[in-house]
Structures are given as C-alpha cells and as structure tokens.
C-alpha cells in the first residue's frame, strides 16, 4: 500500500480521536499517535491514553483492529483525494 503523508495521518487521527484533557491535539501529536498505532497495532486505548486522548464516542463500538483499519483507510482516502484534485488525471 502507498505510504501515507503526515497531513493525511494527522487529519485521520483528528477525525477519530477526542482530546480528553483539553491538552490540545496538535498535528505533530496526531502523526505520533498514527505512527505508534501503526507499529504496535494497539491496544488502541493504551496508546491514546498515553497522549491524554480517547476515541470519539461514535467509534466506541469498534474493536481495536476495526478502529485501526478505519483510521488507516481514511488516511489513504485523504491522500488519494489530494492527489486527484492537485494532480488530476490527464485526458488524451
């Protein structure tokens, strides 16, 4: 699978994660969370708590593997859409 940009990683994490302590989820923290989850595959809640974050409540019903799959898929979609609109397919 194509490498995911840091921008897409940050956007995906910011969509799936809630700042539990109002510590301010920065784009850099979001990338760190994505990378750590990508290396360890969880447990998701332990990684998030390390950064004082939690899952958005709407994603509470997903098990760790499914949650990570959805997060990773969103990051790939963000990159693909950026590529599409910034570098549209050429018609010949």
């Amino acid at each position: 699978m194509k490498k995911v940009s840091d921008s897409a990683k940050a956007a995906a994490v910011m969509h799936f994660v809630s700042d539990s302590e109002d510590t301010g989820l920065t784009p850099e923290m979001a990338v760190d969370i994505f990378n750590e989850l990508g290396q360890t595959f969880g447990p998701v809640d332990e990684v998030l708590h390390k950064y004082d974050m939690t899952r958005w409540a709407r994603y509470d019903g997903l098990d760790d593997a499914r949650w990570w799959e959805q997060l990773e898929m969103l990051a790939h979609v963000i990159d693909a859409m950026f590529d599409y609109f910034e570098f549209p397919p050429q018609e010949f």
Side-chain angles (χ1 to χ4, degrees):
M1 205 174 252
K2 183 182 165 202
K3 186 177 185 303
V4 179
S5 71
D6 284 349
S7 296
K9 290 176 185 180
V13 168
M14 289 180 164
H15 178 74
F16 275 78
V17 170
S18 175
D19 184 347
S20 61
E21 298 293 327
D22 287 330
T23 53
L25 177 60
T26 65
E28 293 80 12
M29 286 172 61
V31 170
D32 289 345
I33 289 169
F34 188 99
N35 289 338
E36 188 167 341
L37 287 168
Q39 292 170 1
T40 64
F41 302 108
V44 170
D45 292 330
E46 285 182 24
V47 172
L48 295 180
H49 288 146
K50 184 172 147 182
Y51 293 90
D52 292 324
M53 304 292 152
T54 58
R55 303 175 195 219
W56 280 110
R58 66 181 154 209
Y59 301 113
D60 281 345
L62 297 177
D63 64 36
D64 284 1
R66 184 81 171 133
W67 190 88
W68 167 251
E69 180 183 280
Q70 295 296 308
L71 177 72
E72 187 178 33
M73 184 171 38
L74 178 59
H76 283 285
V77 167
I78 291 167
D79 266 347
M81 291 303 98
F82 177 80
D83 289 347
Y84 178 83
F85 285 105
E86 289 298 310
F87 310 103
Q90 300 296 312
E91 295 194 25
F92 297 96

